[in-house]
Amino acid sequence: MEGKRENYSRKRAAILAALQSTTQHPTAEEIFRALKPQYPDLSLATVYRNLNRFCETGQAASLGSIDGYERFDGETAPHAHLICSRCGRVVDIWQGLPDSDVLEAISGESGCRVEAASVIFTGLCPECNTREMEEPLGE
């Protein structure tokens, strides 16, 4: 049983490392495909289970469903995202979010207790924006 637990811990660590080593906001399937050659007995269910655990413990965040796939973020410091309306890419932008004074003011005005904030913008990622600016009009 000890060998199985050690293998499980290595997989868990590899999943977290894969998530934290990228700024691409991968899906569980993308992490699974990246790690499968190194861990042939890895299952997609194991990846999902661990990603959900990381989100529960604050080691990762779920960005919700984007283009039909749940996307994950290994960067847990407060920051906003832009979802490209052309290619669907998720880009980290605007480090920092409203501070506790702003959240407190919103709580007071709304009668709610706001505990955290998440900001998602939509628009064009740098590559799509550049492409659009380079394309001749009318084509």
Side-chain angles (χ1 to χ4, degrees):
M1 183 70 178
E2 189 62 37
K4 192 171 189 172
R5 178 175 284 141
E6 182 179 309
N7 192 30
Y8 182 72
S9 295
R10 274 189 295 206
K11 289 177 194 174
R12 180 182 299 144
I15 293 165
L16 184 59
L19 180 61
Q20 291 178 334
S21 69
T22 183
T23 60
Q24 299 302 308
H25 307 89
T27 64
E29 291 85 358
E30 289 168 334
I31 293 172
F32 171 73
R33 284 195 306 270
L35 295 176
K36 186 69 172 170
Q38 187 178 355
Y39 298 93
D41 61 336
L42 180 68
S43 71
L44 184 55
T46 296
V47 174
Y48 269 111
R49 186 172 45 259
N50 281 283
L51 288 172
N52 288 326
R53 178 176 285 149
F54 298 145
C55 290
E56 290 169 3
T57 61
Q59 295 173 283
S62 169
L63 302 179
S65 180
I66 299 169
D67 288 337
Y69 297 95
E70 185 173 12
R71 306 287 284 275
F72 295 90
D73 193 348
E75 173 57 59
T76 58
H79 63 284
H81 296 97
L82 176 127
I83 300 173
C84 183
S85 55
R86 179 181 274 183
C87 71
R89 181 175 171 209
V90 180
V91 182
D92 290 334
I93 60 173
W94 190 36
Q95 294 301 311
L97 290 175
D99 62 21
S100 60
D101 290 341
V102 173
L103 298 180
E104 216 173 280
I106 293 169
S107 293
E109 290 174 21
S110 67
C112 300
R113 184 175 74 194
V114 179
E115 297 173 338
S118 166
V119 178
I120 296 180
F121 296 92
T122 57
L124 297 178
C125 70
E127 290 79 12
C128 289
N129 188 39
T130 300
R131 213 171 309 138
E132 186 170 280
M133 291 177 11
E134 293 173 349
E135 290 176 356
L137 293 175
E139 289 189 22

